[in-house]
Amino acid sequence: GRWGHKTEDCRKKKADERNRNDQANATREEISLRVTEAPNNSKAEGNIFIADSGASCHMVSDTKGMTNYKKINEKITLGDGSTIQATMVGTYCAWHKQEDGTAKVLTLHDTKVVPKLAPFNLFSITKSMQKGCSIGNDQETLFIAKGSFKMSFDYRIETKSGFVSGVQLEPLTDDEIEQWKNGKSTRTTKNNEQQKEEEEEPDVTETPKGQED
């Protein structure tokens, strides 16, 4: 080796490089810090998204409502340090019921399918913040908002010592997804009119896609 260069220094340099690479790979993994007590109600309703400020992306337990998805093999690190696998990533399309009785289509991009996540899905609060969404609360009800859009996490899941907030988002069927892509609607509002609006993530101002009689 060169003058004054020690073998120990070379080994230490290589070890440091391996550690940096390991740390870089770890930071690319998704994270969910969700720790939830068992709900008091023994039978949880389906399609519930828990508002999670510790989740780095939206997560669902199956491919219902998913479109444009592909296979992946990624680790999700949980709050206790354990990991579960994400098997798919794509766009999740769901109906969100408004206060006036209408239903709007929301799209959650880069949603990951994590089979062991059931029974609840996770809505990433930080993901919506990255899209410019603000966060607020009406007393004990959390909501996100941007422009004219507002979604309240008004589904309350009682636990032994408190509660967690969620929202019910019903996934579109495959037929509904195709109709939605073609600018058509299938849901009836309280006025017996069929209406469909796209929410390009529920973190972006709503964009009407048309209305049918």
Side-chain angles (χ1 to χ4, degrees):
R2 70 176 184 275
W3 183 261
H5 180 70
K6 295 181 180 180
T7 304
E8 291 80 1
D9 292 339
C10 184
R11 285 199 293 264
K12 183 177 183 301
K13 182 178 180 181
K14 289 182 179 179
D16 289 343
E17 288 178 353
R18 283 195 298 269
N19 289 336
R20 283 195 295 270
N21 290 334
D22 290 343
Q23 291 172 359
N25 289 333
T27 58
R28 284 193 287 270
E29 293 178 3
E30 301 292 357
I31 297 173
S32 172
L33 301 183
R34 177 173 70 99
V35 178
T36 305
E37 297 174 299
N40 287 340
N41 52 321
S42 58
K43 189 175 182 180
E45 291 187 35
N47 311 321
I48 301 299
F49 280 76
I50 292 177
D52 193 347
S53 61
S56 56
C57 68
H58 307 302
M59 303 181 200
V60 296
S61 60
D62 57 44
T63 57
K64 293 177 182 177
M66 294 287 286
T67 185
N68 299 329
Y69 57 89
K70 63 181 180 180
K71 290 184 178 181
I72 58 173
N73 183 21
E74 296 182 6
K75 291 181 180 179
I76 307 292
T77 302
L78 303 180
D80 62 0
S82 62
T83 60
I84 52 180
Q85 294 297 122
T87 58
M88 300 275 187
V89 62
T91 298
Y92 180 81
C93 304
W95 293 105
H96 175 232
K97 189 175 181 179
Q98 309 294 294
E99 293 181 357
D100 63 0
T102 62
K104 294 180 180 178
V105 175
L106 303 186
T107 57
L108 303 178
H109 298 286
D110 300 321
T111 296
K112 297 194 174 179
V113 177
V114 186
K116 291 187 177 180
L117 192 65
F120 300 113
N121 302 317
L122 297 183
F123 185 96
S124 172
I125 295 297
T126 54
K127 186 78 170 178
S128 64
M129 290 171 62
Q130 288 176 338
K131 297 293 184 178
C133 198
S134 62
I135 303 169
N137 67 289
D138 294 323
Q139 296 183 347
E140 292 186 339
T141 301
L142 178 72
F143 66 81
I144 60 171
K146 183 177 181 182
S148 62
F149 171 77
K150 180 179 179 181
M151 185 171 74
S152 297
F153 293 86
D154 52 7
Y155 188 93
R156 185 174 172 126
I157 303 168
E158 301 287 348
T159 66
K160 184 177 180 180
S161 57
F163 71 95
V164 292
S165 297
V167 62
Q168 192 160 20
L169 300 176
E170 182 184 349
L172 271 66
T173 65
D174 291 342
D175 288 342
E176 287 175 332
I177 290 175
E178 288 304 313
Q179 292 175 341
W180 167 73
K181 287 180 177 180
N182 294 326
K184 297 180 180 179
S185 175
T186 59
R187 291 299 171 98
T188 303
T189 69
K190 65 178 181 178
N191 296 322
N192 291 325
E193 295 178 344
Q194 292 182 325
Q195 174 178 315
K196 178 181 162 306
E197 292 187 11
E198 177 185 6
E199 183 69 32
E200 196 62 34
E201 287 270 49
D203 323 317
V204 178
T205 305
E206 296 167 342
T207 304
K209 291 284 286 189
Q211 183 170 325
E212 299 178 336
D213 292 329

